[in-house]
Amino acid sequence: MTMPVLGELIAMLYATEHPHILDSAETRRTLGLAPADLDAALLDTVHGLHG
């Protein structure tokens, strides 16, 4: 009996060996983007849902 899922799990172990660091600096520089304010985005979403 084989377990293909186990093989995939082993293949993905590399993802747990180093921390995931999200860095948008290059995108921000290249495209001139800036992150949206979370509170403002949430309020816009709520107002959009309720007219």
Side-chain angles (χ1 to χ4, degrees):
M1 181 171 157
T2 62
M3 297 183 67
V5 173
L6 186 56
E8 293 300 321
L9 179 63
I10 292 170
M12 297 300 294
L13 280 177
Y14 73 90
T16 65
E17 294 173 354
H18 303 286
H20 296 275
I21 299 172
L22 303 176
D23 182 3
S24 65
E26 185 175 353
T27 301
R28 292 172 71 183
R29 276 193 309 274
T30 303
L31 301 177
L33 299 175
D37 178 65
L38 180 59
D39 290 336
L42 291 172
L43 284 173
D44 289 346
T45 300
V46 169
H47 290 279
L49 293 174
H50 297 290

